[in-house]
Amino acid sequence: MSRSERLLDLLQVLRRYRQPVSGQRLAEETGVSLRTLYRDIASLQAQGADIEGEPGLGYVLKPGFMLPPMMFSAEEIEALVLGSRWVSKRTDDDLAGAAANALAKIAAVLPAELREELDSSTLLVGPSPPATNGIDIAALRRAIRNERKVELDYVDNDGSATQRTVWPFALGFFENVRMVMAWCELRLDFRHFRADRMQKMTVTEARYPRRRQVLMKDWRSSQNMAASKRETVGS
């Protein structure tokens, strides 16, 4: 690996962390000695990278520092193309268009040889039966983004119809099913709702009282606790 590639790799690793990370951890992830790591950080700082920290305290790359898109590796370009193609076939029309636009913006600033890599990618997404949705998925995504309460007419697995007011905070895209993660005011707990079982959806003007990031964190904790209980019972 050349020195320039090593420095770019270090920047990519730093971008994954929001809190200071130790030099030893960075050295292990980039495959260099701690002494080399310190030299590389000093080089990046001299070149304008806004890296804060020092030995013993850890390092963090401040938000806002952008890597030029021309530095994408071949694997990163393949990942972008494959992801864009998956989104165009597996999500709603708005997201599909957004994925195509994002890829076009990236292509516009790539050097010729990397643009050719993007245009000629041979990673394909196979066909699959279209997901059945009872509601407008794009409207649901906007409700999640804006943290709005949603009223649902929902049919559960047993065929029972219920009306729910929920706080949607995440949307899972499975092969043929869209799953909504939400806090249910009826059950006073987290629940999962299949989009194809939603008979009607009304996005209200009421914002739910907790941020979606907090709901997501609490939901993950509840899922981990449930998994631990299942492992305890099964052991």
Side-chain angles (χ1 to χ4, degrees):
M1 178 185 293
S2 68
R3 182 171 181 273
S4 60
E5 289 176 325
R6 191 177 74 237
L7 293 178
L8 285 170
D9 188 38
L10 174 56
L11 278 174
Q12 295 284 24
V13 171
L14 280 166
R15 291 181 74 183
R16 296 201 297 264
Y17 291 95
R18 296 185 179 180
Q19 301 297 325
V21 57
S22 70
Q24 185 61 48
R25 178 82 175 262
L26 292 171
E28 291 172 357
E29 290 201 33
T30 54
V32 300
S33 67
L34 190 57
R35 184 177 179 181
T36 298
L37 183 279
Y38 290 148
R39 286 203 306 265
D40 287 348
I41 286 180
S43 295
L44 289 172
Q45 289 171 327
Q47 295 175 34
D50 200 355
I51 301 173
E52 292 186 344
E54 58 184 84
L57 296 179
Y59 298 91
V60 63
L61 179 65
K62 294 189 67 176
F65 182 79
M66 300 297 293
L67 287 178
M70 66 184 65
M71 294 304 184
F72 287 138
S73 68
E75 286 77 15
E76 289 169 337
I77 288 176
E78 286 188 335
L80 289 169
V81 173
L82 183 61
S84 176
R85 289 174 177 172
W86 191 95
V87 169
S88 68
K89 290 180 177 291
R90 299 288 193 273
T91 61
D92 57 82
D93 292 341
D94 288 352
L95 268 186
N101 290 340
L103 204 59
K105 289 178 181 178
I106 292 170
V109 295
L110 286 175
E113 64 274 13
L114 290 183
R115 192 180 308 119
E116 184 177 350
E117 288 277 352
L118 186 148
D119 292 337
S120 62
S121 175
T122 55
L123 299 183
L124 306 176
V125 177
S128 69
T132 302
N133 301 312
I135 46 89
D136 183 349
I137 289 294
L140 177 60
R141 288 193 295 102
R142 288 192 293 271
I144 293 172
R145 191 183 310 128
N146 296 324
E147 300 179 342
R148 292 292 190 264
K149 292 185 180 184
V150 169
E151 296 174 352
L152 296 177
D153 288 351
Y154 190 73
V155 178
D156 63 21
N157 192 41
D158 298 325
S160 301
T162 61
Q163 292 182 326
R164 311 283 186 103
T165 298
V166 302
W167 311 348
F169 59 86
L171 179 61
F173 288 83
F174 296 87
E175 190 67 17
N176 300 314
V177 175
R178 306 293 175 256
M179 190 72 71
V180 181
M181 279 65 82
W183 176 268
C184 178
E185 291 188 354
L186 178 65
R187 304 303 183 193
L188 296 178
D189 201 354
F190 293 111
R191 288 292 186 269
H192 301 154
F193 300 94
R194 288 178 50 151
D196 58 327
R197 293 178 180 165
M198 296 178 182
Q199 304 299 301
K200 181 181 178 183
M201 179 187 75
T202 302
V203 179
T204 74
E205 291 299 318
R207 295 190 64 168
Y208 44 76
R210 298 163 65 190
R211 298 303 305 273
R212 67 175 184 272
Q213 294 90 339
V214 175
L215 289 170
M216 188 73 167
K217 181 179 179 181
D218 291 345
W219 172 77
R220 283 174 172 160
S221 296
S222 70
Q223 296 299 296
N224 291 335
M225 289 179 60
S228 296
K229 289 181 180 178
R230 288 194 295 269
E231 290 177 0
T232 301
V233 172
S235 61

